[in-house]
Amino acid sequence: TQFADPERAPYGAIVNDRLRFAQFDMARTWLDAVPNAFMVLNQQRQIVFANQALLELIGESAASPHIEDIIGLRLGEALNCVHATETHGGCGTTEFCRTCGAIRAVLNTQRQFTDAVQECRITRTDGVALDLRVWTRPLCVDNVPYVLFAAEDISAEKRRIALERLFFHDILNTVSAIVGTAKQIQEGAREDVDRLKDTNLELATRLMEEIVAQQQLTAAESGELRVRPVRINSMSILHEVMSLYAQHEVSAGRRIRIDTDAQAAYFISDRSLVRRVLGNMVKNALEASEIGQVVTLSCRRVEAGVEFSVHNRSAMTKDVQLQVFQRSFSTKGGGRGLGAYGMKLLCEHYLHGTVRFQSNQAAGTTFFARFPMNLDEGQQ
């Protein structure tokens, strides 16, 4: 294991635990009326009792679950967390689990016999991201120790915070710049008008890009995003993205270039979404780069597809690497952090590609996005 103990209770012990709590009929009735997910965990972090709200939370990713389906599972396994099946030990045993608020709260309660409150981010196997606020409390029944575990889905709250920051900060700043430039055009000398018009067009284009990006992300998360495959030239779209961000505010003092070894390739995909994925990669790389550094874009033909890469000289810490694709995680604070998550969601769940990265102090950070050579209408 790379974090928590992988040991599980034998089947007979799980049955005894379930029977112990099944006798509390009144408690079950009360707990089924509670809107938050509630469960009791044994010392091996397995579910031995749960209320209806937990089943409803699980039901978004599994067809008509029943109590029998989840007894003996750990939380990540019940919720179909992408990391829950990566090791034989299951939920809690991968290196990604080190940053999971749910497992940290449970372990804290078990070790210190005290209450704990944490936030937990889970990405399910169907691509849906969950943000949970969890509470744990020690419990002892018949001299057997357990952990009371409650979870509130705060995904909507996190999305609202992210959108508020975007519209109240980023977009408002861009609108203010557009208004300021318009006033300069109105009041400025004739020789400055053409330059200011170009600036205003650039700012308006950036504003539209931000709004469209949010529309696409919202549609993707709700399963309503339409994919429109067209023929794409890999070098052409690289130049588009480079031109878009060369004058962006995040590129101030930094340079963008296309690798001389980049290979041209044609492939079938959704041009707008591919551009969005690559744009997120470039923007993240620019934000991570120091003044004077260069962000390098490239592409190459691979088996049955094309792979794009974006490199910058900065390295991510191990803690960041473990969380970078989670929806509400951000190194920038303020509830942002939609770039890497959106990139992975669009590429893997709509364009049937893959996203990965390499990061170390010697080589810096490179993100890779690989797309299949053909994205058919039937794959949507």
Side-chain angles (χ1 to χ4, degrees), residues 228 230-245 256 258 262-282 297-300 306-310 351 369 371:
R228 297 176 174 83
V230 297
R231 191 166 185 257
I232 302 172
N233 181 298
S234 62
M235 292 299 293
S236 172
I237 201 163
L238 270 190
H239 281 285
E240 280 185 38
V241 174
M242 185 177 71
S243 297
L244 176 63
Y245 282 94
I256 309 175
I258 294 178
Q263 302 172 344
Y266 285 94
F267 64 108
I268 306 297
S269 194
D270 186 301
R271 189 179 195 88
S272 175
L273 299 185
V274 171
R275 187 169 60 239
R276 183 71 55 210
V277 171
L278 299 181
N280 284 351
M281 291 167 66
V282 172
L297 285 59
S298 190
C299 57
R300 65 190 182 99
V306 57
E307 183 175 75
F308 294 87
S309 64
V310 176
L351 302 181
F371 301 95

Side-chain angles (χ1 to χ4, degrees), residues 133-262:
R133 183 174 293 119
V134 304
W135 296 265
T136 55
R137 170 169 291 185
L139 173 69
C140 190
V141 179
D142 298 335
N143 294 318
V144 179
Y146 298 95
V147 173
L148 294 175
F149 186 104
E152 177 187 8
D153 187 354
I154 58 172
S155 303
E157 176 184 331
K158 290 291 185 178
R159 285 163 174 75
R160 177 184 57 76
I161 291 172
L163 283 172
E164 284 181 354
R165 175 165 177 83
L166 178 78
F167 280 92
F168 294 157
H169 183 269
D170 298 2
I171 287 183
L172 183 59
N173 284 348
T174 303
V175 171
S176 297
I178 291 174
V179 172
T181 307
K183 288 181 178 178
Q184 292 181 56
I185 292 174
Q186 191 176 50
E187 302 168 358
R190 182 177 295 276
E191 56 270 20
D192 293 330
V193 170
D194 288 340
R195 174 181 61 81
L196 292 172
K197 283 181 177 179
D198 290 341
T199 300
N200 233 22
L201 179 60
E202 176 194 329
L203 290 169
T205 301
R206 186 187 309 169
L207 177 62
M208 183 175 66
E209 281 286 321
E210 291 284 4
I211 294 174
V212 170
Q214 291 304 310
Q215 287 180 323
Q216 289 178 333
L217 183 61
T218 300
E221 290 188 312
S222 63
E224 299 175 353
L225 186 64
R226 292 287 305 278
V227 178
R228 297 176 174 83
V230 297
R231 191 166 185 257
I232 302 172
N233 181 298
S234 62
M235 292 299 293
S236 172
I237 201 163
L238 270 190
H239 281 285
E240 280 185 38
V241 174
M242 185 177 71
S243 297
L244 176 63
Y245 282 94
Q247 304 302 319
H248 197 285
E249 58 183 2
V250 298
S251 67
R254 303 161 181 84
R255 293 193 298 116
I256 309 175
R257 75 178 187 92
I258 294 178
D259 195 320
T260 54
D261 293 330

